[in-house]
Amino acid sequence: MPLTLCVLLWAVDGQVDPLTRYEDEVLALVPVHGGRVTSRVRRAPGEDPAVPAEVQVIEMPDDAALAAYMADPARVALADVRDRVVARTQIVRVEPVADRG
């Protein structure tokens, strides 16, 4: 069953740009597992640092594809980078809302 995820990421203080570079690398692996990044936005300069530094919407074909992405050796190899730049991650399963135009 397809799933849609909203991923909220908070950066370690002073590590917003390195977080972006890390995410560039790991998000490139999403299509390898049949998924796609439908949206990726970054907190605007001057906004409260208590809000996420980056928000992503990712679609995956199913839970197995998500598990394979999370366990991808190329992603796992970057765990030390992630630990240095990502302070917190929250993943929320979401559903599209019909356009009520």
Side-chain angles (χ1 to χ4, degrees):
M1 176 178 208
L3 55 129
T4 303
L5 307 169
C6 181
V7 181
L8 299 97
L9 298 154
W10 287 261
V12 170
D13 286 343
Q15 298 298 306
V16 173
D17 288 337
L19 178 143
T20 299
R21 289 191 295 274
Y22 164 78
E23 290 298 323
D24 289 345
E25 288 190 56
V26 296
L27 291 176
L29 301 170
V30 169
V32 173
H33 299 283
R36 89 184 167 106
V37 179
T38 63
S39 179
R40 184 176 177 201
V41 294
R42 206 170 144 167
R43 179 180 64 223
E47 284 296 313
D48 184 350
V51 301
E54 184 166 316
V55 177
Q56 306 157 357
V57 177
I58 300 172
E59 294 176 347
M60 295 299 280
D62 52 34
D63 285 309
L66 175 60
Y69 164 70
M70 297 298 284
D72 187 300
R75 186 178 178 283
V76 172
L78 294 169
D80 61 326
V81 175
R82 184 189 188 292
D83 291 345
R84 284 194 308 273
V85 302
V86 178
R88 177 178 162 213
T89 303
Q90 183 174 356
I91 301 173
V92 181
R93 289 180 186 237
V94 296
E95 297 177 337
V97 176
D99 183 12
R100 299 186 192 268

